[in-house]
Amino acid sequence: MAKSISVLLIEDNLAIARQIVDFLEGHTWQVDFAATGKQGVQQALSGRFDVIILDLNLPDIDGLEVCKRVKSEAATVVPILMLTARDAFTDKAKGFGQGADDYLTKPFDLRELALRCEALARRPQLHTDTQVAEGNLTMDTRAMTVNWQATAIPVTGIGFKILHKLLCDYPYPVSRSDLISHIWADDPPESNALKSHMYTLRKALEQASGKALLHTISNVGYQLKGLDDNEV
């Protein structure tokens, strides 16, 4: 696990909340808990957290409204991981539209929850830096450039967004649905559009690095691998 992370959990199901709190605190993370949307908003706006885990279905304020308020009123950038039993694309699109940074569908593996929290906790720093780098791969979000060591990699606008999402979540995979939501929000393209952009991006990365960097993970999504010299 990464260094200690401060988490706010907003979840009305006490059994699920207890499992999450026990698991995360077992990794020396600091976890605060709110059982209602109103309590969650109050704690989110008055404290400092690395990540907020937010249930979509709350008894008083809908999770979408909580997300919207936190994103618009919080003094600092706080990534939000939304928990939901709804796995339809339209439901996820609504969440991303209100500012959610990631989604996890119930039931889920607590280990995956922790890994996603770790990835999200890195994002505020990534958002404030113009350069994002892992291993030999570097992106400049201001200049809109991509480099493998000293070699420039030509990418399209959509390709840049895809690569930035994958690099921010590195070394973890990103699902196809999350990529579509991140890039196109509530206006998804035809079914083969993402596949076409992935093909073009994969070829550009391979030509510059001399090896396969962008991998398709069966039944999961896409993942960057081999960014360091000691990786295969």
Side-chain angles (χ1 to χ4, degrees):
M1 287 292 173
K3 66 179 181 65
S4 180
I5 293 175
S6 176
V7 177
L8 172 61
L9 171 63
I10 308 174
E11 167 67 68
D12 67 309
N13 186 311
L14 298 183
I16 293 177
R18 188 176 298 109
Q19 290 179 346
I20 293 174
V21 171
D22 289 346
F23 184 82
L24 297 184
E25 286 186 340
H27 293 92
T28 70
W29 292 9
Q30 178 184 335
V31 184
D32 288 358
F33 168 66
T36 68
K38 290 181 180 178
Q39 292 174 351
V41 170
Q42 182 179 17
Q43 290 180 238
L45 298 182
S46 61
R48 295 184 65 87
F49 301 97
D50 296 310
V51 180
I52 294 175
I53 302 173
L54 172 63
D55 184 34
L56 180 60
N57 295 314
L58 295 169
D60 54 346
I61 303 177
D62 185 87
L64 293 175
E65 180 62 26
V66 173
C67 182
K68 179 181 179 181
R69 288 189 56 183
V70 172
K71 286 294 186 177
S72 62
E73 300 176 26
T76 58
V77 177
V78 185
I80 294 179
L81 170 60
M82 192 164 281
L83 304 178
T84 177
R86 311 173 191 172
D87 60 358
F89 175 81
T90 53
D91 293 316
K92 290 185 177 182
K94 289 177 182 178
F96 284 117
Q98 296 298 344
D101 296 273
D102 200 0
Y103 253 94
L104 196 55
T105 304
K106 298 177 181 178
F108 51 83
D109 190 319
L110 289 170
R111 294 170 298 178
E112 181 179 359
L113 175 68
L115 290 176
R116 288 177 180 267
C117 285
E118 287 180 345
L120 288 172
R122 298 198 307 265
R123 287 192 181 180
Q125 182 62 40
L126 293 173
H127 290 166
T128 58
D129 293 338
T130 60
Q131 285 200 344
V132 184
E134 290 287 353
N136 295 312
L137 185 64
T138 304
M139 300 183 70
D140 191 313
T141 58
R142 180 177 297 169
M144 296 291 287
T145 57
V146 180
N147 286 274
W148 177 262
Q149 297 179 334
T151 303
I153 304 175
V155 296
T156 64
I158 295 296
F160 191 92
K161 290 182 179 180
I162 292 172
L163 186 58
H164 187 259
K165 172 67 173 173
L166 291 168
L167 195 58
C168 285
D169 283 13
Y170 178 84
Y172 310 114
V174 180
S175 71
R176 184 177 183 277
S177 61
D178 283 352
L179 276 172
I180 291 174
S181 298
H182 176 74
I183 297 165
W184 290 289
D186 58 353
D187 186 26
E190 60 183 62
S191 59
N192 290 327
L194 180 61
K195 184 177 180 180
S196 176
H197 286 294
M198 282 296 182
Y199 175 83
T200 302
L201 179 59
R202 181 180 286 113
K203 290 297 182 182
L205 292 172
E206 187 171 347
Q207 183 174 358
S209 65
K211 59 180 179 179
L213 299 180
L214 179 54
H215 298 260
T216 300
I217 310 300
S218 180
N219 298 320
V220 177
Y222 301 93
Q223 183 178 20
L224 290 173
K225 295 182 180 180
L227 302 189
D228 294 317
D229 291 331
N230 59 353
E231 287 186 275
V232 178

